[in-house]
Amino acid sequence: MVIVQGEDLGAWVAAQRAGWERLMPAQQYLLESLGLGPVPAGVEAGARPVGRRDAARVVNLAAARQFFEREGRLRVPRKAVEVLPDGTEIKLGAVIDNTRRRADKLSDEQRAEWTALGMRW
């Protein structure tokens, strides 16, 4: 479980995805910029609970996007720490290194998200 400002991030993400049609277009855009979208058709909202790994993946991608937008690249030093706007510190260098090593375990969608940020596999 990842708690950010007292909120269970995994539960929050699941709720936002389940109620996608009730979100304003700007809210949908912001979630999509984090790699999130509505619950796919044919999948019940509660069919697969959002776990710690899914929540961490969202936060890690947000940190990578923030770094990419600032630096224009995703060459991250191994010991680099990225601080998100809410104060959460992500050891982005380690995240990048671990993601590369575990690339074979990523879904096509996850791999595409990282590739869009310029990930060198």
Side-chain angles (χ1 to χ4, degrees):
M1 178 181 319
V2 175
I3 305 293
V4 177
Q5 295 182 344
E7 185 85 30
D8 177 355
L9 191 56
W12 181 85
V13 167
Q16 300 310 306
R17 292 183 75 200
W20 189 263
E21 65 282 346
R22 294 187 304 269
L23 296 174
M24 299 295 295
Q27 292 170 311
Q28 291 175 350
Y29 170 79
L30 290 171
L31 288 170
E32 286 171 342
S33 70
L34 293 174
L36 300 171
V39 175
V43 176
E44 293 182 32
R48 180 177 171 263
V50 176
R52 184 173 56 202
R53 287 184 187 154
D54 291 333
R57 184 178 69 83
V58 169
V59 173
N60 291 341
L61 274 169
R65 276 191 188 87
Q66 179 176 295
F67 183 91
F68 179 79
E69 289 171 3
R70 184 180 66 246
E71 302 291 329
R73 59 182 170 76
L74 201 59
R75 280 192 320 248
V76 182
R78 174 74 171 133
K79 297 201 179 229
V81 176
E82 190 72 16
V83 180
L84 296 176
D86 66 2
T88 305
E89 293 185 0
I90 303 297
K91 295 178 181 176
L92 188 58
V95 167
I96 299 293
D97 189 46
N98 291 335
T99 301
R100 280 190 190 117
R101 281 195 247 174
R102 298 180 180 127
D104 59 325
K105 296 179 182 173
L106 296 176
S107 69
D108 291 340
E109 179 184 333
Q110 292 168 340
R111 195 172 174 90
E113 290 171 333
W114 284 103
T115 300
L117 292 176
M119 174 69 100
R120 291 177 294 125
W121 300 103

